[in-house]
């Protein structure tokens, strides 16, 4: 039996409703998935409003392409990929890769997961948002979404080596900020 | 029995005197024999008939005569065994060939390749090896003198060598390389971050949904193409607006002068006239009316009278010579225009060489009681055929008058006249070019056409898309071209039909929307169709540029087309079966054409077309999901030749 998401709608109902252009189905789908997706958007954005822009753009894409979802795999995963791609597009539009050069290689002691756990997610989010767009995107894709360097290189049109080095720098900077926040 | 008894007696007699003590054993034997004999004798005559079944059993075991016949009948019996039996047997028996084959290998020998022996020989110890090995049999080297002493010394000092090693590593510490530590710590850091965001959710503000809603009004199939539809609609709307405004402005100029625009000339009505009508000067000479004689050739003298401030100051009279079969205007000798007390006709004046029918003058020359009669007379003007009017108005005179700026009073009676006048005026004010305009607007007959089109094309076809990729695809902008020839027939000056045969190339590019290839993969395919469009054209009844040497006009086009797939060109590594495309197409199209008339025979057409069609198979439900469509939107240029003969032109005054 299909999982009932909310208001008696199953996932299948929602998809069919959205394909038919039904506003109630669209709204239910939005209400159900928007908190999760907004979390993703905020991680890729440098501030709250940019996150909202990505969210808006992503949902418009979801609704306008929902008939292309073939039911293979998780629907949430499909939506999530659209949002990540939208965030990447947003990053590509808003900046170029020269921004990476602004950060020098950090040289400091590592911080462990304990230090990270001491931070609230919101604080950590703020720290991630402070990263430059390129670092932030690569860090999110590798660390949180679990993309490989090869996949990241393909999506961002950069080399694998660049992806690795950018990730290392992003991680170093973030660790430094975490350490500073923890005192 | 008696015998036995005699023997006994004999024995008795013989041994009557005999006395011997027999052994006890003998006596036992004797007694025993006697017992046996007595038993034997007791069964001597014994007989017992055997049971009947014993004979039956014996009888069964004895061969009967039939058995004997049967056994002899098989003495000469032989049977040929089946062939395969021999084949089976022969296979298992070595044939002569087998034997020959076996023998032929008796002497068979193959010399192994040289390197085989080299390999083998390498692994076999050679003489040298043996020599070398044996040479070390007795080899011995005396260690240096101090070595043993030092070992002995060590052994003497440290009794337990192992414990020495253990102690040596007891306090051993080695710093791992930096990157190992980094990796470990980074992994932990990554894990911490990942864990922190595992269930991270943030509710967006309500305004975001409000911003999304306008973009998702329709289903995805419509919504995706909405920008394209909007662009097409905008272009069509602009064209329509342009046409409408162009038409309206052109007419509006005249209408305003006539008096519909209160800013320029106040509309004169009966009610408005009354307070301002001056009494006609009775002393003036009566007007000579042209209505008295229909064939009168007279001079219309038009005089402007300053009634209101808007009347032009310049007082210039013009003479207009004309003959009229109908009562139209009256002429006054003192160059005053009037209706000779019985008629009311708009007077005409010229301002800056422009003819003006002065409503004010008109108003002043009629009395309220005459006004009704005036309207009756004017209404008769509207019944005059323009062709008749044209007949009696020499073109040379008309061409000197700026008819576009001719002012007419706004009266119901003149309304019909004005409408006809507006159409015909387009011809009349042309001078030399009016000939071509006449031709253009009055042609009826055949024409030939050729065309070239360039357009934006879309192939909406799920079967093609699915054959191309298992991943979702998005459409990209792609185009096509078309060449065609055709023939048409102008049924009326406005309405015509046209049929064409066109060879059309439709292309479609796609972009993969999957996770991996959202940005960088594009695929395209091309098809060729043979189309036969049948169009119905409605041409506007007036030219958009009558005062130019190249008249132009609009026509709207509506039609339907039949198309047949000729060929397809797909991506090499992703072949698509040809039957996935629309094989036989039926569609509709619409458009606008703008014609440039360079001569009575030749005109060029620039136009736009929007066409869509689907396969015959889907005609029963053309709007269901999954129905394939071929869509084209683009521009076309055409060259047309009309069969306007010399006689045709002559008849219409075109030389």
């Amino acid at each position: 039996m299909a999982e009932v998401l909310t208001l008696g709608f199953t996932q299948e109902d929602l998809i069919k409703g959205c394909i038919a252009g039904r506003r109630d189905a669209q709204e239910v789908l939005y209400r159900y998935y928007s908190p999760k997706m907004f979390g993703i958007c905020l991680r890729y954005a440098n501030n709250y409003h940019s996150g909202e822009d990505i969210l808006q753009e992503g949902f418009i894409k979801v609704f306008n392409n929902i008939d292309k979802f073939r039911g293979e795999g998780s629907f949430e995963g499909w939506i999530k990929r659209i949002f990540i791609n939208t965030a990447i597009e947003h990053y590509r539009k808003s900046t170029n890769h020269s921004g990476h050069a602004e950060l020098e290689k950090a040289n400091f002691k590592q911080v462990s997961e304990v230090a990270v756990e001491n931070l609230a997610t919101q604080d950590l989010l703020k720290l991630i948002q402070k990263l430059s767009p390129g670092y932030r995107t690569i860090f999110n894709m590798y660390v949180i979404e679990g993309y490989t360097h090869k996949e990241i290189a393909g999506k961002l049109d950069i080399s694998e080596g660049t992806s690795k080095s950018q990730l290392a720098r992003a991680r170093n900077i973030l660790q430094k900020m975490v350490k500073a926040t923890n005192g | 029995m008696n015998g036995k008894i005699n023997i006994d007696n004999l024995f008795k007699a013989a041994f009557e005197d005999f006395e011997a003590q027999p052994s006890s054993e003998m006596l036992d034997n004797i007694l025993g024999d006697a017992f046996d004999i007595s038993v034997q004798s007791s069964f001597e005559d014994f007989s017992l008939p055997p049971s009947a079944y014993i004979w039956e059993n014996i009888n069964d075991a004895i061969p009967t005569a039939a058995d004997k016949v049967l056994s002899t009948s098989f003495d000469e019996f032989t049977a040929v065994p089946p062939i395969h039996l021999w084949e089976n047997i022969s296979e298992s028996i070595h044939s002569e060939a087998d034997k020959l084959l076996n023998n032929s290998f008796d002497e068979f020998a193959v010399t192994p390749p040289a390197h085989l022996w080299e390999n083998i020989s390498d692994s076999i110890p050679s003489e040298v090896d043996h020599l070398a090995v044996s040479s070390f049999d007795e080899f011995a080297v005396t260690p240096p003198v101090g070595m043993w002493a030092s070992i002995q010394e060590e052994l003497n000092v440290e009794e337990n060598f192992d414990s020495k090693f253990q102690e040596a590593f007891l306090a051993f510490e080695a710093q791992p390389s930096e990157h190992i530590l980094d990796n470990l710590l980074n992994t932990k850091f990554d894990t911490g971050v990942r864990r922190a965001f595992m269930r991270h959710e943030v509710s967006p503000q309500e305004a975001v949904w409000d911003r999304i809603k306008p973009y998702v009004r329709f289903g995805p199939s419509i919504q995706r193409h909405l920008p394209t539809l909007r662009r097409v609609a905008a272009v069509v709307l602009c064209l329509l607006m342009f046409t409408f405004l162009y038409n309206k402005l052109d007419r509006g100029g005249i209408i305003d002068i006539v008096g519909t625009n209160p800013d320029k000339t106040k509309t004169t009505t009966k009610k408005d006239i009354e307070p301002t009508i001056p009494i006609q000067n009775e002393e003036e000479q009566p007007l000579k009316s042209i209505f008295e004689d229909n064939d009168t050739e007279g001079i219309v003298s038009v005089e402007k009278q300053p009634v209101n401030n808007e009347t032009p100051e310049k007082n210039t009279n013009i003479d207009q010579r004309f003959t009229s079969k109908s009562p139209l205007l009256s002429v006054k000798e003192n160059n005053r225009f009037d209706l000779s007390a019985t008629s009311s006709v708009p007077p005409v004046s010229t301002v800056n060489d422009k003819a003006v029918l002065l409503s004010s003058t008109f108003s002043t020359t009629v009395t309220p009681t005459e006004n009704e009669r005036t309207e009756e007379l004017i209404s008769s003007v509207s019944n005059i055929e323009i062709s008749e009017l044209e007949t009696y108005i020499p073109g040379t005179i008309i061409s000197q008058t700026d008819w576009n700026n001719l002012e007419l009073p706004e009266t119901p009676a003149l309304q019909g006249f004005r409408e006809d006048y507006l159409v015909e005026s387009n011809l009349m004010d042309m001078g030399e070019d009016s000939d071509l305009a006449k031709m253009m607007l009055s042609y009826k007959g055949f024409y030939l056409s050729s065309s070239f089109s360039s357009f934006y094309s879309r192939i909406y076809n799920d079967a093609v898309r699915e054959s191309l990729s298992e991943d979702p695809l998005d459409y990209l902008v792609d185009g096509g071209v078309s060449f065609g020839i055709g023939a048409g027939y102008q049924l009326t000056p406005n309405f015509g039909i046209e049929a064409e045969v066109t060879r059309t190339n439709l292309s479609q590019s796609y972009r993969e929307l999957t996770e991996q290839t959202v940005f960088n993969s594009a695929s395209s395919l091309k098809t060729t169709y043979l189309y036969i469009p049948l169009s119905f054209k409605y041409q506007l009844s007036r030219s958009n540029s009558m005062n130019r040497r190249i008249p132009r006009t609009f026509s709207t086009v509506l039609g339907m087309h039949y198309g047949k797939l000729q060929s397809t060109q797909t991506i090499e590594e992703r072949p698509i079966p040809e039957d996935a495309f629309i094989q036989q197409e039926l569609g509709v199209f619409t458009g606008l054409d703008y014609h440039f008339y360079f001569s009575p025979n030749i005109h060029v057409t620039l136009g736009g077309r929007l066409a869509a069609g689907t396969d015959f198979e889907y005609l029963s439900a053309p709007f269901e999901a999954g129905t394939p469509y071929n869509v084209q939107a683009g521009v076309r240029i055409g060259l047309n030749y009309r069969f306007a003969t010399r006689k045709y032109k002559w008849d219409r005054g075109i030389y």
Side-chain angles (χ1 to χ4, degrees), chain B residues 554-594:
Chain B
F554 269 113
S555 63
T556 53
V557 184
L558 190 68
M560 55 195 299
H561 68 252
Y562 165 79
K564 185 164 175 55
L565 180 67
Q566 300 294 301
S567 64
T568 60
Q569 184 183 333
T570 56
I571 301 154
E572 199 171 323
E573 60 269 21
R574 297 177 181 179
I576 301 171
E578 197 166 276
D579 58 4
F581 293 91
I582 293 176
Q583 298 292 313
Q584 293 197 74
E585 181 184 332
L586 192 66
V588 293
F589 63 90
T590 184
L592 286 172
D593 279 347
Y594 196 49

Side-chain angles (χ1 to χ4, degrees), chain B residues 321-333:
Chain B
R321 292 175 178 277
F322 65 95
T323 58
S324 173
K325 291 179 179 177
S326 304
L328 184 64
L329 299 172
S330 61
V331 183
K332 200 174 177 182
E333 285 182 355

Side-chain angles (χ1 to χ4, degrees), chain A residues 18-21 23 26-27 30-31 34-36 38-39 42-43 48 52-53 55-56 59-60 63-68 70 81 85 88-89 92 110-111 113 116-117 121-122 124-125 128 139 142-144 147 151 154-155 171 174-175 178, chain B residues 181-183 185-197 200-209 211-221 223-224 465-466 469-475 511 513-520:
Chain A
C18 289
I19 288 173
R23 180 47 55 86
Q26 288 174 340
E27 185 163 0
Y30 172 81
R31 303 265 176 232
S34 60
K36 292 176 187 176
F38 194 38
L42 286 175
R43 271 196 284 111
Y48 190 86
E52 283 187 339
D53 289 344
L55 184 77
Q56 177 184 335
F59 266 111
I60 290 169
F63 289 130
N64 288 343
N65 292 284
I66 198 166
D67 56 338
K68 293 175 183 169
R70 297 182 179 183
R81 281 203 301 278
N85 287 336
I88 292 168
E89 275 182 66
R92 290 163 71 97
Q110 310 270 355
V111 291
E113 62 181 317
V116 174
E117 283 171 357
T121 306
Q122 286 301 321
L124 194 57
L125 182 66
I128 289 174
F139 181 81
Y142 184 87
V143 174
I144 301 174
Y147 283 94
E151 289 168 335
K155 278 188 171 293
R171 194 190 273 130
L174 199 58
Q175 285 174 341
V178 169
Chain B
L181 184 65
D182 286 352
N183 287 344
L185 291 174
N186 285 340
T187 307
K188 284 185 177 180
F189 178 76
D190 292 353
T191 308
V193 173
R194 198 176 296 127
R195 201 176 290 162
F197 285 105
H200 179 232
E201 292 184 6
V202 182
S203 292
Q205 290 181 352
E206 195 62 29
V208 177
W209 173 238
R211 291 209 300 266
I212 291 170
K213 278 193 279 189
Y215 294 97
V216 291
R217 280 201 196 97
F218 309 102
S221 53
Q223 193 73 45
R224 265 202 307 275
R465 261 196 331 181
E466 285 166 11
S469 172
E470 291 180 355
D471 298 319
L473 296 171
D474 200 5
Y475 292 96
R511 183 180 65 175
L513 275 178
T514 59
E515 182 184 5
Q516 302 297 330
T517 52
V518 67
F519 295 117
N520 49 16

Side-chain angles (χ1 to χ4, degrees), chain B residues 426-654:
Chain B
N426 284 299
L427 300 179
M428 292 191 293
D429 69 348
M430 288 291 295
E432 294 175 2
D433 296 333
S434 66
D435 292 342
L436 185 56
K438 283 179 190 172
M439 173 70 194
M440 178 190 73
L441 293 175
S442 62
Y443 179 80
K444 287 189 279 186
F446 277 108
Y447 64 92
L448 295 177
S449 67
S450 61
S451 65
F452 168 78
S453 304
S454 177
F455 48 80
Y456 166 67
S457 64
R458 276 278 174 97
I459 299 174
Y460 293 104
N461 194 322
D462 288 347
V464 169
R465 261 196 331 181
E466 285 166 11
S467 300
L468 198 62
S469 172
E470 291 180 355
D471 298 319
L473 296 171
D474 200 5
Y475 292 96
L476 293 178
V477 175
D478 213 330
V481 292
S482 170
F483 300 91
I485 54 170
Y489 191 86
Q490 196 69 33
L491 296 165
T492 72
N494 296 113
F495 185 72
I497 57 171
E498 184 180 320
E500 275 186 296
V501 178
T502 66
R503 187 176 174 81
T504 304
N505 294 319
L506 294 174
S507 300
Q508 182 62 65
S509 295
Y510 300 95
R511 183 180 65 175
E512 294 177 341
L513 275 178
T514 59
E515 182 184 5
Q516 302 297 330
T517 52
V518 67
F519 295 117
N520 49 16
S521 179
S523 313
S524 70
L525 46 92
K526 298 179 192 308
T527 60
T528 304
Y529 281 86
L530 190 71
Y531 282 115
I532 303 175
L534 178 66
S535 53
F536 303 90
K537 296 186 173 185
Y538 185 84
Q539 182 171 269
L540 299 183
S541 61
R542 56 186 301 280
S543 169
N544 288 286
S545 56
M546 297 301 293
N547 55 352
R548 296 184 185 180
R549 297 201 64 84
I550 304 175
R552 292 167 291 182
T553 188
F554 269 113
S555 63
T556 53
V557 184
L558 190 68
M560 55 195 299
H561 68 252
Y562 165 79
K564 185 164 175 55
L565 180 67
Q566 300 294 301
S567 64
T568 60
Q569 184 183 333
T570 56
I571 301 154
E572 199 171 323
E573 60 269 21
R574 297 177 181 179
I576 301 171
E578 197 166 276
D579 58 4
F581 293 91
I582 293 176
Q583 298 292 313
Q584 293 197 74
E585 181 184 332
L586 192 66
V588 293
F589 63 90
T590 184
L592 286 172
D593 279 347
Y594 196 49
H595 307 285
F596 295 82
Y597 291 86
F598 292 101
S599 80
N601 295 102
I602 294 173
H603 69 277
V604 169
T605 302
L606 295 178
R609 289 285 187 279
L610 177 64
T614 187
D615 201 290
F616 269 51
E617 291 178 11
Y618 292 86
L619 286 179
S620 55
F623 301 110
E624 276 191 0
T627 303
Y629 295 106
N630 287 340
V631 179
Q632 307 158 40
V635 294
R636 72 192 290 275
I637 181 168
L639 180 65
N640 309 281
Y641 182 84
R642 284 176 157 179
F643 293 96
T645 61
R646 191 180 181 84
K647 183 177 183 304
Y648 187 95
K649 293 180 215 173
W650 182 265
D651 290 346
R652 285 157 181 79
I654 305 164

Side-chain angles (χ1 to χ4, degrees), chain B residues 68-78:
Chain B
K68 284 177 184 171
V69 171
L70 195 62
S71 64
T72 53
S73 67
F74 280 96
D75 286 347
E76 303 298 326
F77 177 76
T78 59

Side-chain angles (χ1 to χ4, degrees), chain A residues 123-141:
Chain A
D123 297 329
L124 194 57
L125 182 66
K126 283 176 188 168
L127 296 182
I128 289 174
Q129 286 180 341
K130 282 180 185 172
L131 290 171
S132 72
Y135 287 174
R136 186 170 56 241
T137 305
I138 292 172
F139 181 81
N140 274 317
M141 290 177 79

